[in-house]
Amino acid sequence: MVEYRIDRRSGVATYLQIVQQTKQALRMGLLEPGDRLPTAREVVEATAVNPNTVLKAYRELEREGLVEARRGLGTFVRATLGTGPADSPLRGELTDWARRARAAGLEREDVAALFTSVLKEHFEGDE
Amino acid sequence: MTDPVIEADGLGMRYRRRGGGWALKDCTLALPAGRVVAVVGPNGAGKSTLLGLAAGLLRPTEGRITAPTRDRLAYVAQDKPLYGQLTVAETLRLGHELNPDRWDPAAAERITGPLPGNARVRTLSGGQRTRLALALALGKRPELLLLDEPMADLDPLARRELMGALLADAAERGTTVAMSSHILTELEGSCDHLLLVQDGRIRLDGAIDDLLAAHTLLTGPIADLAPHTVVDSRTTGRQLTALVRREGPVEGPWETAEPSLEELLLAHLRPTEGAPA
């Protein structure tokens, strides 16, 4: 079972926080196919978040094929989310790149800004 | 879209005392059932008047308002009126006797939980009285729950707990909840519909997601923002920061972002630069 932590000051929409935290739990293996997500009532009671927001997040996860709602029973995990293994070639390339960026004198924040802007360029409209 | 649970048409309310000014004027709205509505606005804007009219406790000076009948709605006034000489248990029994067909003791006791049953109401703290008043309202299993500044007396922990219990109950039974506050952070995230009241008028009315999506916060060089409707704008040196209600896509040299609820509200409440306040 996951427990959601809602940060009202983060600037990230609440339903997206629920979507992202569910995905994170899937990536980490904390949620596996067949597991039940907390009911809207349980989430609302623990977080004081609007019930419709929870339902919106669950609909979004359902649309992405990650969970399914079973009438009267709850919402269940259908799929896992793969993450590149820690030693994947992609990670290696990124590590090299970060090393070069640092050698070139970039600060951590410069690197983060650069990375974010490239992410934005290539994944525009995915969220 | 479901049938509205509160409908007002040309609603106005004028107080005989207080110099005869309008507390509420030209108010037309239709609140869909099942929403959790934030009634937001500065002190004295007309929030309590609107809730009192919806509860049927005030009579409109003009126009009309329809809401569920007295037995199907619950209203918790700002001062949480209770009988001081009764105990907590007696108050709950009274709630049961006044609502014999609807009363749900479990729903009420979930809220009163930590209160001692034999304590007299007059010995309770402000926060405990709020708890008891909310328990009475929820025990009635209302279709519409009207709460005027419900959380003002509560510490942050109790606030979170009671808001959670309130929303969980609403989620289970599809109750429509309308609650007022002048403290926005109390309501952000918990509500899905907004009514912004200012100077006795409704300034914004709609689903919060839709309202946020209809507005854009932009920063960049000073330029004409037409055809968009400028809600609030200010300039610092060569930079313009504005919140607009969009008419079509925003095209221009601006950085754009969706505003937060707080930014949206402040922009609407702030007098615009150069405009008469």
Side-chain angles (χ1 to χ4, degrees), chain A residues 84-95:
Chain A
D87 56 353
S88 76
L90 281 173
R91 189 191 161 97
E93 285 168 38
L94 191 59
T95 307

mmCIF file with all atom_site columns, all heavy atoms in Angstrom, chain A residues 84-95:
data_model
loop_
_atom_site.group_PDB
_atom_site.id
_atom_site.type_symbol
_atom_site.label_atom_id
_atom_site.label_alt_id
_atom_site.label_comp_id
_atom_site.label_asym_id
_atom_site.label_entity_id
_atom_site.label_seq_id
_atom_site.pdbx_PDB_ins_code
_atom_site.Cartn_x
_atom_site.Cartn_y
_atom_site.Cartn_z
_atom_site.occupancy
_atom_site.B_iso_or_equiv
_atom_site.pdbx_formal_charge
_atom_site.auth_seq_id
_atom_site.auth_comp_id
_atom_site.auth_asym_id
_atom_site.auth_atom_id
_atom_site.pdbx_PDB_model_num
ATOM 1  N N   . GLY A 1 84 ? 15.469 2.027  -16.133 1.00 0.00 ? 84 GLY A N   1
ATOM 2  C CA  . GLY A 1 84 ? 16.753 1.516  -16.612 1.00 0.00 ? 84 GLY A CA  1
ATOM 3  C C   . GLY A 1 84 ? 17.524 0.977  -15.432 1.00 0.00 ? 84 GLY A C   1
ATOM 4  O O   . GLY A 1 84 ? 17.567 1.612  -14.389 1.00 0.00 ? 84 GLY A O   1
ATOM 5  N N   . PRO A 1 85 ? 18.123 -0.206 -15.526 1.00 0.00 ? 85 PRO A N   1
ATOM 6  C CA  . PRO A 1 85 ? 18.933 -0.691 -14.418 1.00 0.00 ? 85 PRO A CA  1
ATOM 7  C C   . PRO A 1 85 ? 20.068 0.293  -14.116 1.00 0.00 ? 85 PRO A C   1
ATOM 8  O O   . PRO A 1 85 ? 20.459 1.082  -14.974 1.00 0.00 ? 85 PRO A O   1
ATOM 9  C CB  . PRO A 1 85 ? 19.481 -2.019 -14.916 1.00 0.00 ? 85 PRO A CB  1
ATOM 10 C CG  . PRO A 1 85 ? 18.958 -2.237 -16.287 1.00 0.00 ? 85 PRO A CG  1
ATOM 11 C CD  . PRO A 1 85 ? 18.114 -1.092 -16.683 1.00 0.00 ? 85 PRO A CD  1
ATOM 12 N N   . ALA A 1 86 ? 20.525 0.237  -12.889 1.00 0.00 ? 86 ALA A N   1
ATOM 13 C CA  . ALA A 1 86 ? 21.492 1.220  -12.430 1.00 0.00 ? 86 ALA A CA  1
ATOM 14 C C   . ALA A 1 86 ? 22.751 1.239  -13.298 1.00 0.00 ? 86 ALA A C   1
ATOM 15 O O   . ALA A 1 86 ? 23.425 2.262  -13.392 1.00 0.00 ? 86 ALA A O   1
ATOM 16 C CB  . ALA A 1 86 ? 21.859 0.926  -10.979 1.00 0.00 ? 86 ALA A CB  1
ATOM 17 N N   . ASP A 1 87 ? 23.068 0.110  -13.945 1.00 0.00 ? 87 ASP A N   1
ATOM 18 C CA  . ASP A 1 87 ? 24.312 0.073  -14.720 1.00 0.00 ? 87 ASP A CA  1
ATOM 19 C C   . ASP A 1 87 ? 24.038 0.128  -16.224 1.00 0.00 ? 87 ASP A C   1
ATOM 20 O O   . ASP A 1 87 ? 24.843 -0.312 -17.020 1.00 0.00 ? 87 ASP A O   1
ATOM 21 C CB  . ASP A 1 87 ? 25.100 -1.199 -14.368 1.00 0.00 ? 87 ASP A CB  1
ATOM 22 C CG  . ASP A 1 87 ? 24.252 -2.450 -14.586 1.00 0.00 ? 87 ASP A CG  1
ATOM 23 O OD1 . ASP A 1 87 ? 23.031 -2.288 -14.866 1.00 0.00 ? 87 ASP A OD1 1
ATOM 24 O OD2 . ASP A 1 87 ? 24.794 -3.557 -14.473 1.00 0.00 ? 87 ASP A OD2 1
ATOM 25 N N   . SER A 1 88 ? 22.848 0.662  -16.623 1.00 0.00 ? 88 SER A N   1
ATOM 26 C CA  . SER A 1 88 ? 22.520 0.698  -18.043 1.00 0.00 ? 88 SER A CA  1
ATOM 27 C C   . SER A 1 88 ? 23.461 1.639  -18.783 1.00 0.00 ? 88 SER A C   1
ATOM 28 O O   . SER A 1 88 ? 24.029 2.557  -18.194 1.00 0.00 ? 88 SER A O   1
ATOM 29 C CB  . SER A 1 88 ? 21.076 1.140  -18.230 1.00 0.00 ? 88 SER A CB  1
ATOM 30 O OG  . SER A 1 88 ? 20.986 2.530  -18.016 1.00 0.00 ? 88 SER A OG  1
ATOM 31 N N   . PRO A 1 89 ? 23.628 1.426  -20.116 1.00 0.00 ? 89 PRO A N   1
ATOM 32 C CA  . PRO A 1 89 ? 24.480 2.307  -20.908 1.00 0.00 ? 89 PRO A CA  1
ATOM 33 C C   . PRO A 1 89 ? 24.022 3.765  -20.846 1.00 0.00 ? 89 PRO A C   1
ATOM 34 O O   . PRO A 1 89 ? 24.848 4.676  -20.809 1.00 0.00 ? 89 PRO A O   1
ATOM 35 C CB  . PRO A 1 89 ? 24.332 1.760  -22.334 1.00 0.00 ? 89 PRO A CB  1
ATOM 36 C CG  . PRO A 1 89 ? 23.726 0.413  -22.214 1.00 0.00 ? 89 PRO A CG  1
ATOM 37 C CD  . PRO A 1 89 ? 23.048 0.336  -20.890 1.00 0.00 ? 89 PRO A CD  1
ATOM 38 N N   . LEU A 1 90 ? 22.693 3.979  -20.779 1.00 0.00 ? 90 LEU A N   1
ATOM 39 C CA  . LEU A 1 90 ? 22.194 5.356  -20.734 1.00 0.00 ? 90 LEU A CA  1
ATOM 40 C C   . LEU A 1 90 ? 22.709 6.074  -19.496 1.00 0.00 ? 90 LEU A C   1
ATOM 41 O O   . LEU A 1 90 ? 23.125 7.227  -19.543 1.00 0.00 ? 90 LEU A O   1
ATOM 42 C CB  . LEU A 1 90 ? 20.666 5.362  -20.709 1.00 0.00 ? 90 LEU A CB  1
ATOM 43 C CG  . LEU A 1 90 ? 19.980 5.130  -22.057 1.00 0.00 ? 90 LEU A CG  1
ATOM 44 C CD1 . LEU A 1 90 ? 18.474 4.982  -21.859 1.00 0.00 ? 90 LEU A CD1 1
ATOM 45 C CD2 . LEU A 1 90 ? 20.270 6.272  -23.017 1.00 0.00 ? 90 LEU A CD2 1
ATOM 46 N N   . ARG A 1 91 ? 22.680 5.362  -18.376 1.00 0.00 ? 91 ARG A N   1
ATOM 47 C CA  . ARG A 1 91 ? 23.168 5.964  -17.142 1.00 0.00 ? 91 ARG A CA  1
ATOM 48 C C   . ARG A 1 91 ? 24.651 6.287  -17.256 1.00 0.00 ? 91 ARG A C   1
ATOM 49 O O   . ARG A 1 91 ? 25.116 7.341  -16.823 1.00 0.00 ? 91 ARG A O   1
ATOM 50 C CB  . ARG A 1 91 ? 22.915 5.031  -15.956 1.00 0.00 ? 91 ARG A CB  1
ATOM 51 C CG  . ARG A 1 91 ? 23.204 5.730  -14.645 1.00 0.00 ? 91 ARG A CG  1
ATOM 52 C CD  . ARG A 1 91 ? 23.225 4.816  -13.461 1.00 0.00 ? 91 ARG A CD  1
ATOM 53 N NE  . ARG A 1 91 ? 23.932 5.504  -12.391 1.00 0.00 ? 91 ARG A NE  1
ATOM 54 C CZ  . ARG A 1 91 ? 23.314 6.181  -11.430 1.00 0.00 ? 91 ARG A CZ  1
ATOM 55 N NH1 . ARG A 1 91 ? 22.028 6.234  -11.391 1.00 0.00 ? 91 ARG A NH1 1
ATOM 56 N NH2 . ARG A 1 91 ? 24.017 6.816  -10.506 1.00 0.00 ? 91 ARG A NH2 1
ATOM 57 N N   . GLY A 1 92 ? 25.393 5.365  -17.863 1.00 0.00 ? 92 GLY A N   1
ATOM 58 C CA  . GLY A 1 92 ? 26.827 5.572  -18.046 1.00 0.00 ? 92 GLY A CA  1
ATOM 59 C C   . GLY A 1 92 ? 27.113 6.834  -18.859 1.00 0.00 ? 92 GLY A C   1
ATOM 60 O O   . GLY A 1 92 ? 27.963 7.646  -18.484 1.00 0.00 ? 92 GLY A O   1
ATOM 61 N N   . GLU A 1 93 ? 26.342 6.991  -19.947 1.00 0.00 ? 93 GLU A N   1
ATOM 62 C CA  . GLU A 1 93 ? 26.544 8.174  -20.785 1.00 0.00 ? 93 GLU A CA  1
ATOM 63 C C   . GLU A 1 93 ? 26.221 9.449  -20.028 1.00 0.00 ? 93 GLU A C   1
ATOM 64 O O   . GLU A 1 93 ? 26.894 10.460 -20.168 1.00 0.00 ? 93 GLU A O   1
ATOM 65 C CB  . GLU A 1 93 ? 25.655 8.078  -22.036 1.00 0.00 ? 93 GLU A CB  1
ATOM 66 C CG  . GLU A 1 93 ? 26.182 7.078  -23.053 1.00 0.00 ? 93 GLU A CG  1
ATOM 67 C CD  . GLU A 1 93 ? 25.139 6.781  -24.128 1.00 0.00 ? 93 GLU A CD  1
ATOM 68 O OE1 . GLU A 1 93 ? 24.430 7.711  -24.540 1.00 0.00 ? 93 GLU A OE1 1
ATOM 69 O OE2 . GLU A 1 93 ? 25.037 5.607  -24.536 1.00 0.00 ? 93 GLU A OE2 1
ATOM 70 N N   . LEU A 1 94 ? 25.156 9.365  -19.211 1.00 0.00 ? 94 LEU A N   1
ATOM 71 C CA  . LEU A 1 94 ? 24.757 10.547 -18.445 1.00 0.00 ? 94 LEU A CA  1
ATOM 72 C C   . LEU A 1 94 ? 25.824 10.885 -17.403 1.00 0.00 ? 94 LEU A C   1
ATOM 73 O O   . LEU A 1 94 ? 26.127 12.060 -17.156 1.00 0.00 ? 94 LEU A O   1
ATOM 74 C CB  . LEU A 1 94 ? 23.396 10.276 -17.784 1.00 0.00 ? 94 LEU A CB  1
ATOM 75 C CG  . LEU A 1 94 ? 22.693 11.487 -17.167 1.00 0.00 ? 94 LEU A CG  1
ATOM 76 C CD1 . LEU A 1 94 ? 22.445 12.569 -18.206 1.00 0.00 ? 94 LEU A CD1 1
ATOM 77 C CD2 . LEU A 1 94 ? 21.372 11.072 -16.532 1.00 0.00 ? 94 LEU A CD2 1
ATOM 78 N N   . THR A 1 95 ? 26.385 9.853  -16.806 1.00 0.00 ? 95 THR A N   1
ATOM 79 C CA  . THR A 1 95 ? 27.452 10.064 -15.827 1.00 0.00 ? 95 THR A CA  1
ATOM 80 C C   . THR A 1 95 ? 28.652 10.765 -16.480 1.00 0.00 ? 95 THR A C   1
ATOM 81 O O   . THR A 1 95 ? 29.198 11.729 -15.937 1.00 0.00 ? 95 THR A O   1
ATOM 82 C CB  . THR A 1 95 ? 27.892 8.713  -15.227 1.00 0.00 ? 95 THR A CB  1
ATOM 83 O OG1 . THR A 1 95 ? 26.739 8.044  -14.733 1.00 0.00 ? 95 THR A OG1 1
ATOM 84 C CG2 . THR A 1 95 ? 28.882 8.912  -14.095 1.00 0.00 ? 95 THR A CG2 1
#
